[in-house]
Amino acid sequence: MTVTETDTETAVEAVEPDVCATQGLPHPRPDGQDRYTISEVAAICGLSAHTLRWYERIGLMPHVDRSHTGQRRFTNKDLDWLDLVAKLRLTGMPVADMVRYAELVRAGEHTCPERHELLVATREDVLRRVAELQETLAVLNYKIDIYAAYRVPESA
């Protein structure tokens, strides 16, 4: 879905409920003065311009406004959304599920139960991976303790 200027307000409103779930990170510019170019957003978020364009193309960032010359203009809400997407990526959520989540957010409040299910399933995967990492850490700590006895004392 390509968002035109007339669709922008509706699309941003559809995203807003989930944006509130982010940490409220400080923005480089105050609301109202928040028109960022793609290169500025790339520098802020640590993503490439290519990745940002790809996110838009696949429907993960469909609400990016355009200037009268067609240049992308991102807002603080876009930065918040990208922060959420980055966190979802860290969970290991597949891109297809992230796109589905974005579609559900845009579809409106009636999709909250389905969004909830998707996030609960992702949390279960994260908790499973955390448990695996904790087990792995316990093995490493055990081995480190064993090898600590073999350390050569420092020369005086």
Side-chain angles (χ1 to χ4, degrees):
M1 174 180 145
T2 303
V3 177
T4 62
E5 287 183 24
T6 56
D7 298 332
T8 302
E9 192 172 312
T10 306
V12 170
E13 288 173 4
V15 172
E16 196 164 353
D18 281 68
V19 170
C20 294
T22 63
Q23 299 298 320
L25 300 173
H27 298 118
R29 297 184 189 138
D31 289 343
Q33 298 173 12
D34 58 335
R35 293 292 180 250
Y36 306 97
T37 64
I38 197 164
S39 59
E40 289 173 320
V41 172
I44 292 166
C45 296
L47 298 169
S48 68
H50 174 77
T51 298
L52 292 167
R53 287 186 205 98
W54 181 65
Y55 280 3
E56 187 176 6
R57 194 168 45 251
I58 66 171
L60 199 50
M61 283 283 314
H63 59 280
V64 178
D65 197 14
R66 302 278 182 141
S67 70
H68 68 284
T69 60
Q71 218 178 16
R72 289 171 180 85
R73 291 293 181 212
F74 295 83
T75 66
N76 288 334
K77 288 184 183 192
D78 294 326
L79 295 180
D80 291 340
W81 179 257
L82 287 168
D83 183 57
L84 176 62
V85 168
K87 286 178 177 41
L88 293 177
R89 285 181 62 219
L90 285 174
T91 69
M93 180 185 276
V95 173
D97 287 350
M98 288 189 284
V99 170
R100 178 69 183 137
Y101 182 80
E103 290 168 349
L104 292 169
V105 170
R106 285 191 305 275
E109 202 171 302
H110 70 280
T111 66
C112 283
E114 193 173 345
R115 286 185 253 169
H116 178 263
E117 287 176 25
L118 186 58
L119 294 176
V120 167
T122 300
R123 180 179 60 191
E124 290 170 4
D125 290 342
V126 169
L127 289 171
R128 191 172 22 263
R129 284 189 307 147
V130 166
E132 289 171 355
L133 287 171
Q134 286 174 335
E135 290 175 17
T136 302
L137 182 59
V139 169
L140 285 173
N141 287 336
Y142 174 76
K143 289 294 198 179
I144 289 169
D145 290 345
I146 289 173
Y147 292 122
Y150 291 100
R151 279 195 287 198
V152 178
E154 291 183 29
S155 303

